[in-house]
Amino acid sequence: MSDPAVPVRRLRLEEDERLRPSVVVQRVLSIMPDVEAADSAAIHIGVTVMSAGAATEHLCHSISEFIYVVDGELVMTLDRRDLLLSAGDYLTIPAGRWHAFRNETAQIALMLFAFERNPTMLTSRRAPASQSS
């Protein structure tokens, strides 16, 4: 039985998105609830799929980010230190901390991320090569 007031959606990734080497695919799963309400708490949830050899840019958000590794292994660089994350691992990245992810395995890695609100305008990016500055 489904409730028409609560839409159910399914995330489908094309086969080539999951299997191409060095590809990072990100999809927003939810931004909730009513953003027009002044006292409304919002949450931004998304999924990142990283194929073998894929890496993200270095990112820094002005708000904290929660991540959960669903499948595979990822190396997270946080403030120039590497941390190996495996399926089932989760953590909160504090606001203002530079971080990046890379998949050094031959398998696909899947990670969920969440923010207390949409971080798009609150995110700085830089290429990994500029990390030495």
Side-chain angles (χ1 to χ4, degrees):
M1 177 187 236
S2 91
D3 179 351
V6 181
V8 175
R9 296 179 177 95
R10 177 168 291 168
L11 175 68
R12 290 186 178 94
L13 296 174
E14 300 298 323
E15 192 69 18
D16 64 327
E17 287 182 318
R18 293 185 298 119
L19 300 178
R20 264 185 299 166
S22 300
V23 171
V24 177
V25 177
Q26 291 192 309
R27 295 283 195 277
V28 172
L29 299 179
S30 177
I31 298 175
M32 299 192 49
D34 179 6
V35 294
E36 293 179 12
D39 62 347
S40 173
I43 188 165
H44 177 97
I45 302 170
V47 62
T48 300
V49 179
M50 297 181 69
S51 64
T56 67
E57 298 172 289
H58 281 83
L59 304 167
C60 183
H61 314 289
S62 62
I63 56 177
S64 296
E65 176 182 14
F66 173 83
I67 63 150
Y68 174 74
V69 180
V70 177
D71 197 19
E73 285 186 351
L74 291 169
V75 176
M76 180 180 76
T77 301
L78 179 65
D79 296 336
R80 302 178 191 217
R81 293 181 148 164
D82 287 344
L83 177 64
L84 180 63
L85 303 174
S86 300
D89 291 345
Y90 62 93
L91 62 104
T92 299
I93 302 168
R97 306 284 294 273
W98 283 99
H99 59 282
F101 298 91
R102 63 185 185 276
N103 182 356
E104 296 181 342
T105 73
Q107 307 300 317
I108 293 169
L110 178 82
M111 174 182 71
L112 295 177
F113 59 89
F115 296 90
E116 63 181 305
R117 60 187 182 273
N118 189 335
T120 305
M121 300 304 291
L122 309 169
T123 299
S124 300
R125 301 173 186 274
R126 65 182 181 199
S130 68
Q131 184 181 8
S132 61
S133 60

